[in-house]
């Protein structure tokens, strides 16, 4: 199927492998993923053509191994551009419909949007915590769009970039997917 590490990242793929019924009285939470291709589709929208061209130029610049200060400035510009991308109303409506189908429509659900890239949870390279995830996201178009773009932009945050660099992970092919889970408010935590 299309739910493979090369479409949604290892984190999302592995979560899908957990059986729904774990032990008597326990179940895993519902979830779904926004695949790598969604980011590419949004980037390819005519409305985003100028941003895409700027991102490609900045990506080429950051991959030239400039000084750390130049890289940090360029990464910040890239994140800001990604956060300006337009996600179509049709796409957001489809995501909201999927939220209803997975989590139910009559509930005051809050979401956890977790990064799931193709450059983490790899053999010999975990990259845990390098990318941004957001909790308590309301299933509303503007809030979803804002947080989706923030997760996508985190591919180019300083800590992720420099960690990939130190670990000889190729930056050029890193793609963001998003694992969407229902937030669980615990009665207590350790």
């Amino acid at each position: 199927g299309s739910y493979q590490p090369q479409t949604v990242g290892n984190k999302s793929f592995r979560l899908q492998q957990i059986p729904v019924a774990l032990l008597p009285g326990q179940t895993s939470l519902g979830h779904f993923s926004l695949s790598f291709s969604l980011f590419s589709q949004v980037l390819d929208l005519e409305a985003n053509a100028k941003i895409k061209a700027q991102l490609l130029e900045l990506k080429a610049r950051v991959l030239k191994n400039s000084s750390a200060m130049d890289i940090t400035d360029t990464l910040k510009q890239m994140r800001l551009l990604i956060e300006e991308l337009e996600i179509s109303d049709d796409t957001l409506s489809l995501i909201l419909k999927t939220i209803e189908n997975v989590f139910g429509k009559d509930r005051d659900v809050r979401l956890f949007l977790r990064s799931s890239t193709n450059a983490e949870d790899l053999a010999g390279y975990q990259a845990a915590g390098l990318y941004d995830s957001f909790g308590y996201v309301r299933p509303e178009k503007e809030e979803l769009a804002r947080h989706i773009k923030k997760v996508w932009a985190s591919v180019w945050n300083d800590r992720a970039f420099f960690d990939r660099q130190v670990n000889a992970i190729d930056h050029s092919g890193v793609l963001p997917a998003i694992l969407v889970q229902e937030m669980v408010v615990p009665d207590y935590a350790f």
Side-chain angles (χ1 to χ4, degrees):
S2 63
Y3 211 88
Q4 297 295 319
Q6 57 271 28
T7 60
V8 296
N10 280 317
K11 182 188 301 174
S12 292
F13 176 73
R14 288 186 179 138
L15 183 60
Q16 185 66 22
Q17 304 305 303
I18 297 173
V20 173
L22 302 172
L23 297 171
Q26 294 183 330
T27 59
S28 63
L29 294 175
H31 62 276
F32 67 95
S33 293
L34 304 175
S35 70
F36 302 141
S37 66
L38 178 63
F39 176 72
S40 299
Q41 291 166 10
V42 167
L43 203 55
D44 287 342
L45 290 175
E46 184 63 34
N48 294 324
K50 185 177 177 184
I51 291 174
K52 181 179 180 179
Q54 291 173 303
L55 279 171
L56 290 172
E57 182 181 313
L58 291 170
K59 187 175 179 180
R61 184 186 315 163
V62 81
L63 296 178
K64 285 184 182 176
N65 288 331
S66 307
S67 73
M69 181 63 114
D70 291 340
I71 289 173
T72 299
D73 290 342
T74 304
L75 292 173
K76 182 178 181 179
Q77 290 174 46
M78 291 174 73
R79 290 190 306 272
L80 292 173
L81 283 171
I82 291 169
E83 290 180 24
E84 289 178 20
L85 288 169
E86 181 180 313
I87 302 175
S88 75
D89 194 59
D90 288 346
T91 297
L92 290 170
S93 293
L94 183 59
I95 293 168
L96 285 172
K97 185 67 175 162
T98 304
I99 290 167
E100 279 186 12
N101 291 340
V102 174
F103 306 118
K105 59 176 110 177
D106 296 325
R107 297 175 32 201
D108 189 24
V109 68
R110 291 294 182 266
L111 306 170
F112 191 28
L113 303 185
R114 299 178 63 196
S115 63
S116 183
T117 74
N118 59 345
E120 63 182 314
D121 300 317
L122 306 173
Y125 183 68
Q126 294 305 308
L130 291 182
Y131 307 101
D132 297 336
S133 296
F134 298 93
Y136 294 98
V137 177
R138 289 188 313 272
E140 299 169 357
K141 286 182 181 180
E142 285 184 25
E143 187 164 346
L144 271 173
R146 185 174 77 249
H147 286 93
I148 287 168
K149 293 183 286 187
K150 284 181 173 290
V151 174
W152 287 344
S154 73
V155 165
W156 300 105
N157 72 39
D158 295 357
R159 71 181 177 276
F161 181 87
F162 289 113
D163 194 79
R164 288 192 306 260
Q165 194 167 42
V166 165
N167 286 284
I169 302 294
D170 181 11
H171 302 288
S172 63
V174 178
L175 293 169
I178 299 175
L179 173 60
V180 181
Q181 294 177 292
E182 182 178 3
M183 284 293 306
V184 174
V185 181
D187 294 328
Y188 57 90
F190 295 76

